[in-house]
């Protein structure tokens, strides 16, 4: 049988000219659409065998190959999160079916959920990266569709006051509260907190470190531990042999999930992401008088430009120079009177 039904969905089954058995979902409840897909796949298989055409590859094949090759990425869990969301739209598509119109549909679907332009762009960027690899390295396709990313506003610096942070910490479940307190005490990025191992911590010397392979700037980060950070770490001792932060005995892969969002709602805090804990840490440092060059080293930023975003939060370092124009102004006024 060339096509058959499983529950409400039609499936395709045939043997290609090279003997390969093809069996897959057509991704449709309409018989005619399933038959058309069957006929096209069968024709493509014939062209591949007899005319030397490239075999038709599916999005799922590309995803599997991508995850295998990119398993070392620090952001691989984020990739998986986006790819799971994309599965409903692209799960049954071939790479050749992914065109500009389909990418626009994906953008519209993500925006309809209330996601920001930046979030939609991250998904589009992931699709483009996979398609580019399918074209340039795997040689599965001949072209990648052109499309435009959505406009994004300049990065905003969202941070909490100490009072707001206290409200949020009260609402967080205990495992997220510990991680959030540690992030506020150290400024570490989400991946460096969730992936922190006891082998990276020295409680006696009150310091921790992030290896170059785990750091965004590809440079090791030394993390001095203040009193708040030490309290958190001591509370985590004995819970897991390898990882510092866990939930039900397992490492935590993503902190800013549903429980995080529910806590934000209860604390009445809007427009705040987990990464903004890092912005909050940096903002508190600047307001307390930490020099920007010191903040750069503490935060592991690759360039000084990255910490200049926080310079406006403190003017203490400018007060000593603020009176420099006073004498000039006085001289000008005297000159005008004499004239």
């Amino acid at each position: 049988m060339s096509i058959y039904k499983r529950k409400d969905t039609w499936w395709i089954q045939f043997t290609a000219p090279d003997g390969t058995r093809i069996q897959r979902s057509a991704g449709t409840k309409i018989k005619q659409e399933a038959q058309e897909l069957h006929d096209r796949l069968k024709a493509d298989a014939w062209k591949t065998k007899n005319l030397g055409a490239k075999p038709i590859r599916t999005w799922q094949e590309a995803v599997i190959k991508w995850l295998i090759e990119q398993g070392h990425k620090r952001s691989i869990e984020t990739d998986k999160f986006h790819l799971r969301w994309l599965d409903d739209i692209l799960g049954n598509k071939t790479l050749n079916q992914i065109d500009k119109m389909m990418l626009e549909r994906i953008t519209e679907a993500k925006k309809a959920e209330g996601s920001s332009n930046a979030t939609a762009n991250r998904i589009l960027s992931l699709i483009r990266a996979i398609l580019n690899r399918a074209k340039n390295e795997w040689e599965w396709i001949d072209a990648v569709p052109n499309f435009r990313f959505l406009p994004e506003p300049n990065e905003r610096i969202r941070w909490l006051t100490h009072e707001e942070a206290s409200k949020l910490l009260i609402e967080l479940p205990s495992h997220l509260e510990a991680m959030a307190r540690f992030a506020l005490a150290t400024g570490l990025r989400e991946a460096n907190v969730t992936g922190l191992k006891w082998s990276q911590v020295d409680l006696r010397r009150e310091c921790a470190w992030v290896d170059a392979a785990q750091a965004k700037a590809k440079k090791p980060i030394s993390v001095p531990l203040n009193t708040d950070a030490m309290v958190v770490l001591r509370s985590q001792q004995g819970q897991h042999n390898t990882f510092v932060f866990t939930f039900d005995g397992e490492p935590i892969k993503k902190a800013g999930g549903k429980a995080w969002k529910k806590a934000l709602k209860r604390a009445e805090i809007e427009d705040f992401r987990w990464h903004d804990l890092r912005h909050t840490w940096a903002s508190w440092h600047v307001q307390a008088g930490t020099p920007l060059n010191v903040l750069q080293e503490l935060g592991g930023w690759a360039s000084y430009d990255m910490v200049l975003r926080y310079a406006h939060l403190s003017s203490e370092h400018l007060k000593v120079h603020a009176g420099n124009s006073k004498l000039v102004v006085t001289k000008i006024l005297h000159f005008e009177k004499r004239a």
Side-chain angles (χ1 to χ4, degrees), residues 143-245:
V144 175
N146 291 321
F147 61 90
R148 291 183 180 180
F149 289 107
L150 298 175
E152 295 183 33
N154 294 331
E155 184 182 7
R156 90 289 192 258
I157 303 299
R158 176 72 169 95
W159 56 278
L160 298 179
T161 64
H162 288 276
E163 292 74 19
E164 289 174 323
S166 297
K167 286 176 60 178
L168 175 58
L169 291 171
I170 290 172
E171 298 296 341
L172 288 170
S174 58
H175 67 289
L176 289 182
E177 180 192 356
M179 295 171 67
R181 286 185 182 277
F182 192 74
L184 288 171
T186 62
L188 286 179
R189 295 178 175 87
E190 179 182 3
N192 297 139
V193 175
T194 58
L196 187 66
K197 298 179 180 179
W198 287 113
S199 59
Q200 297 170 257
V201 176
D202 189 331
L203 293 177
R204 183 181 61 82
R205 293 171 50 226
E206 298 187 353
C207 68
W209 54 89
V210 176
D211 296 330
Q214 299 170 306
K216 186 175 181 180
K218 297 297 183 182
K219 295 180 180 179
I221 303 173
S222 177
V223 186
L225 301 172
N226 60 21
T227 302
D228 293 339
M230 290 294 294
V231 168
V232 172
L233 290 176
R234 290 196 175 104
S235 73
Q236 299 301 112
Q237 285 184 289
Q239 296 191 26
H240 198 276
N241 291 331
T242 303
F243 290 93
V244 175
F245 299 104

